[in-house]
Amino acid sequence: MEAVVTVTPRTCPLSCLLRFLLYFLRSFSSEEVILRDYSVPNPSWNKDLRLLFDQFMKKCEDGSWKRLPSYKRIPAEKIQDFKTHLLDPKLMKEEQMSQTQLFTRSFDDGLGFEYVMFYSDVEKRMVCLFQGGPYLEGPPGFVHGGAIATMIDTTVGMCALMAGGVVMTANLNINYKRPIPLCSAVTINSQLDKVEGRKFFVSCNVQSVDEKTLYSEATNAEVEANLGFVSGSSWLQIPNFQHQDSLPLRDDQHRSA
């Protein structure tokens, strides 16, 4: 009598191995995308953006400036800081948090937001080098105003964050001077100008590479650490900020009590 052995895909060692390898490769690919630093040049960057990048990297050599790495997801420790200060646990579950990614890093290379940020701790200044891709079109041939606002908001927020705290934008007024051509490089300059207690005054503008064209200006940019009532004008509020005495102010500014 001949014995018949039936092997199904569920019990086949080779099938199990293949499924495991496929799962591993998918996980590795996903992790690789998350860990990739998007603030370094890729083939979509135009000549002007690459030139600006090289110029600021030169400034980083003496330590006066530093380039900020940028990923698809906010680092875990920053997420925890945000949750500790601002996020109501009932608003978002852990599994939802694990699926999030930054809006500005949600496009493929060259199609959306291409940017890199450099920060000077001495000057309390953030410079964002930005190139808007074709998926950010508003008026034909130009970057959508909302995309410009997004990058201004991102730059101002990072400037405040680097100063020492977790923040959220409360108010942002933008004066659009000229439209920005798609796929062109611009500089977004954000300056932490003045400190009054826990209030931080910030200015921001968007200029052409040669600094001859002013595209936009942001005024009354209010970023706060708490989700409560905000009073006053044009200020950034950061919780438990301990460095206000060391923040240099311009000669035409003064510190109020």
Side-chain angles (χ1 to χ4, degrees), residues 88-139:
D88 185 340
K90 294 181 291 185
L91 296 180
M92 183 168 289
K93 300 178 180 178
E94 287 298 327
E95 57 266 27
Q96 291 175 312
M97 293 293 291
S98 67
Q99 299 172 6
T100 61
Q101 67 178 31
L102 288 174
F103 168 54
T104 54
R105 294 303 186 190
S106 60
F107 296 86
D108 291 336
D109 289 351
L111 298 180
F113 301 91
E114 293 293 336
Y115 66 96
V116 55
M117 294 188 183
F118 292 88
Y119 182 70
S120 170
D121 188 56
V122 174
E123 300 181 26
K124 298 294 186 239
R125 180 183 170 208
M126 183 75 69
V127 174
C128 175
L129 313 178
F130 168 60
Q131 174 185 307
Y135 282 17
L136 302 184
E137 185 179 55

Side-chain angles (χ1 to χ4, degrees), residues 212-239:
K212 293 182 179 180
T213 303
L214 177 63
Y215 291 111
S216 304
E217 285 182 315
T219 59
N220 296 327
E222 298 180 7
V223 181
E224 61 168 330
N226 303 307
L227 299 181
F229 178 73
V230 181
S231 62
S233 62
S234 186
W235 53 271
L236 305 176
Q237 182 178 342
I238 298 176

Side-chain angles (χ1 to χ4, degrees), residues 78 85 157-158 160-168 225 237-239 241 243:
K78 296 299 182 183
H85 288 94
M158 283 303 298
L161 182 65
M162 292 301 293
V166 179
V167 297
M168 290 186 70
Q237 182 178 342
I238 298 176
F241 186 74
H243 315 298

